[in-house]
Amino acid sequence: MTTLRLEAVRKSRPGNGGPPVEILRGVSLTAQGGALTVIIGPSGGGKSTLMRLLNRLEDPDGGEILLGGRNILEFDPLELRRRVGMAPQKPFMFPGSVLANLQLPFRLRGEATPGGAEPAIVHALELCRLPADLLPRDARTLSLGQQQRVSLARALVAGPELLLLDEPTSALDRPPGDRLADTLHDISRSRQLTIVMMTHDLRLAERVADHLAYLEDGRILEEGVAADLLNRPRSAGLRRFLDQPMETQG
């Protein structure tokens, strides 16, 4: 099991003709190996920027991000992509079949592509509750819920140590969203996989989080057991956030 640790991570953006604007202001957080850590917070609080840093789409201005005790800046980018999988908020299907989409991580690394009956593909389908008869289907013809699961399977198929999820149920109605949430919980347990999820869905957070953190204005204001934070918020920021209508929380 691989632990992800953030130590005083900072990130700024250029201001509009003025000084740089701090987006992340010394974020420290530990995502334990084999657990599902969920980060909630208002729009503009820094969640998207933090996600980009964890996958090294951007680098921090200060602090460290440690994967298994090693600064991610020390990893070769290809090695980091093997270790860190990501399923973005909006599932993107590449042209071709579901199988071709699941083979893509192997092709990008120049490795032999597994067939549909090989263990890597079969296991990913099982984890994401996808029937094997979808493999020859054109991925772009699938329902949104099926595409969400294919996107997740594509992130899992190469066996990452860390899985990053950005609003994984945002486009789903409650029943399919709940099923995907249960899938994520099962994956975390069965694979002993470290998962970090960004979401505004408080119901999802309470349902799946082993550890919950509240990020506002670039700072972690509270963290702990999901039920404790959501039912007994200590900070004024989290109390305000919980009092807002759901549609304003994203």
Side-chain angles (χ1 to χ4, degrees):
M1 294 185 291
T2 300
T3 296
L4 174 73
R5 192 165 76 252
L6 286 69
E7 297 183 349
V9 172
R10 294 183 173 276
K11 184 67 179 179
S12 297
R13 301 269 188 234
N16 290 327
V21 177
E22 277 193 298
I23 306 300
L24 298 175
R25 306 165 183 260
V27 172
S28 295
L29 181 69
T30 297
Q32 295 291 345
L36 207 159
T37 297
V38 178
I39 301 173
I40 61 173
S43 179
K47 299 192 303 297
S48 296
T49 297
L50 182 57
M51 180 68 79
R52 292 178 64 82
L53 296 183
L54 296 180
N55 198 34
R56 239 197 124 186
L57 296 174
E58 297 184 51
D59 291 332
D61 297 328
E64 291 187 310
I65 301 173
L66 305 169
L67 184 64
R70 183 179 171 192
N71 193 315
I72 65 171
L73 298 180
E74 299 175 1
F75 286 100
D76 175 84
L78 185 58
E79 181 185 1
L80 186 67
R81 295 297 180 268
R82 288 193 180 108
R83 291 172 176 259
V84 181
M86 183 174 179
Q89 178 175 355
K90 184 178 180 181
F92 180 81
M93 297 292 100
F94 290 90
S97 67
V98 170
L99 178 58
N101 270 263
L102 298 183
Q103 292 170 331
L104 183 65
F106 299 92
R107 292 201 301 272
L108 291 177
R109 296 201 301 260
E111 299 175 3
T113 54
E118 293 190 38
I121 301 294
V122 171
H123 191 44
L125 292 176
E126 290 174 348
L127 285 173
C128 297
R129 303 177 187 178
L130 287 165
D133 59 12
L134 285 183
L135 287 175
R137 287 270 304 275
D138 184 332
R140 294 183 171 181
T141 68
L142 301 181
S143 70
L144 184 58
Q146 290 171 325
Q147 289 187 21
Q148 288 269 15
R149 290 178 181 274
V150 171
S151 178
L152 180 60
R154 190 174 58 208
L156 287 169
V157 73
E161 300 170 23
L162 170 67
L163 178 63
L164 305 176
L165 303 172
D166 186 10
E167 300 286 4
T169 62
S170 62
L172 301 179
D173 294 331
R174 179 167 289 186
D178 285 350
R179 288 193 293 271
L180 182 59
D182 292 340
T183 296
L184 296 174
H185 208 265
D186 291 346
I187 288 169
S188 177
R189 295 294 181 273
S190 65
R191 291 277 293 268
Q192 289 293 286
L193 178 65
T194 306
I195 299 178
V196 175
M197 177 194 304
M198 311 287 181
T199 186
H200 71 278
D201 186 337
L202 301 179
R203 184 171 177 272
L204 171 66
E206 187 168 20
R207 188 182 182 103
V208 304
D210 295 307
H211 188 79
L212 182 68
Y214 176 66
L215 178 67
E216 180 183 302
D217 195 27
R219 296 184 175 92
I220 299 289
L221 298 188
E222 292 192 51
E223 59 178 301
V225 177
D228 290 343
L229 264 67
L230 298 178
N231 295 317
R232 293 176 292 278
R234 300 184 303 275
S235 68
L238 181 53
R239 287 195 294 270
R240 285 194 304 270
F241 181 71
L242 295 178
D243 286 341
Q244 292 173 2
M246 181 65 72
E247 60 268 18
T248 68
Q249 293 179 357

